[in-house]
Amino acid sequence: MHASSPLTPAAPSELRAYALACLLERDPATKVAMVAAMAGAPLELDARAPLAPAGPVPGRPERPELVPPRLVGRRSMITPEGRAMLVHALAHIEFNAMNLALDALWRFPDLPFEYYTDWLRVAQEEATHFAMLQAHLQVLGHTYGDFPGHDSLWEMVDKTRGDVLARMALVPRTLEARGLDAIPPLRAKLAQAGDMAAAAILDIILRDEVGHVEIGNRWYGYLCDQRGLELRATYAELALRYEAPTLRGPFNLEARRRAGFSELELSDLPA
């Protein structure tokens, strides 16, 4: 948090309240600008402040239409519209990831200062990813909202709203970790189709996502220690209780190692 002006004179002066205001904002461009302003504003932190949303969580635009994952649709990478659909799907993931970081930032009280600064960093980087993908989508003749999207990522965010341990276990170190596995083959498809600009964006996203998953791993470990819980058994129990999606390979083991998964945890992944 560096010294500069907040986005508006009415913007909150406290970090968690500012994050909630960002989360409630519906317009994607305004949300991205608010997150950048929050990251640069000289904000105080009140880890115990009682906060409540004044509107629907998360704030999002009327489009894209949200449909079941099987109805999102796929097109061939050899067509411009097919590439645009993939870039749109990635933008939708990053928009949701920005919202999940904001939710992790405001929702859970009484955590160490570093927890909040970690999730502030994640929110800022996810906002940057979304902005890059939205700009590239416009180069391809489309904009965010032109194609349908699904809500699987946010559904797990909502399920885990009552327990920060479940949130850390099942969002960054489960759903976001799947991105570590998925990005390299998607990058290869885009590069093979000649879209090197999109491939370069995915290089940045993969680099940053390793850090985001590491943050989830680190705070999951911290919370297990605080509660006297065994890390792997607790994860298995939470995945079952919250009906987390079944993990399927191939897995990007090198990226998962850099993100803080132990060899024992990697050995728990299905063959």
Side-chain angles (χ1 to χ4, degrees), residues 2-271:
H2 306 290
S4 84
S5 298
L7 188 64
T8 69
S13 60
E14 194 276 322
L15 176 60
R16 291 173 58 233
Y18 207 134
L20 179 55
C22 293
L23 181 63
L24 295 175
E25 174 55 47
R26 296 184 63 191
D27 178 69
T30 305
K31 190 187 293 269
V32 167
M34 287 179 70
V35 170
M38 176 176 62
L43 301 174
E44 300 298 322
L45 171 67
D46 182 351
R48 297 187 174 184
L51 299 173
V57 174
R60 53 176 142 212
E62 290 183 10
R63 299 168 65 235
E65 177 191 6
L66 297 178
V67 299
R70 70 182 185 281
L71 299 181
V72 170
R74 291 178 175 83
R75 298 281 174 86
S76 167
M77 287 296 97
I78 64 173
T79 68
E81 186 174 30
R83 292 197 297 278
M85 285 184 73
L86 175 56
V87 173
H88 185 277
L90 294 167
H92 184 60
I93 290 168
E94 297 303 313
F95 184 77
N96 276 302
M98 172 173 47
N99 281 332
L100 79 83
L102 293 168
D103 195 79
L105 187 45
W106 86 266
R107 185 174 294 278
F108 300 110
D110 296 322
L111 288 159
F113 176 79
E114 293 78 13
Y115 170 89
Y116 301 102
T117 55
D118 276 347
W119 286 104
L120 175 62
R121 173 190 140 199
V122 176
Q124 184 180 21
E125 290 177 353
E126 302 290 21
T128 300
H129 299 166
F130 173 77
M132 288 190 298
L133 289 163
Q134 164 69 327
H136 188 58
L137 198 54
Q138 290 173 337
V139 170
L140 297 174
H142 291 275
T143 192
Y144 181 57
D146 280 359
F147 304 103
H150 67 77
D151 210 23
S152 297
L153 182 58
W154 189 262
E155 286 168 3
M156 185 58 78
V157 174
D158 190 49
K159 275 186 185 180
T160 56
R161 66 187 182 277
D163 184 4
V164 65
L165 177 71
R167 174 68 60 84
M168 294 300 108
L170 301 176
V171 178
R173 67 193 309 269
T174 299
L175 297 184
E176 288 199 278
R178 293 172 80 185
L180 304 181
D181 309 321
I183 289 172
L186 291 176
R187 185 209 184 277
K189 282 185 182 179
L190 287 163
Q192 188 174 18
D195 194 338
M196 299 312 296
I201 293 171
L202 285 187
D203 287 337
I204 294 168
I205 292 175
L206 180 59
R207 178 200 70 198
D208 292 346
E209 293 297 337
V210 168
H212 302 172
V213 176
E214 188 277 330
I215 285 169
N217 268 323
R218 184 154 34 85
W219 289 108
Y220 175 70
Y222 168 86
L223 291 160
C224 283
D225 286 346
Q226 290 286 303
R227 300 184 191 186
L229 299 171
E230 199 281 319
L231 190 146
R232 290 163 64 216
T234 300
Y235 176 80
E237 191 275 323
L238 290 168
L240 191 64
R241 189 196 319 169
Y242 288 89
E243 300 177 326
T246 303
L247 297 180
R248 292 183 178 86
F251 298 103
N252 186 344
L253 296 178
E254 188 270 333
R256 283 174 173 265
R257 286 187 181 98
R258 285 190 285 123
F261 286 100
S262 69
E263 293 302 317
L264 279 174
E265 288 176 293
L266 294 179
S267 73
D268 291 335
L269 294 171

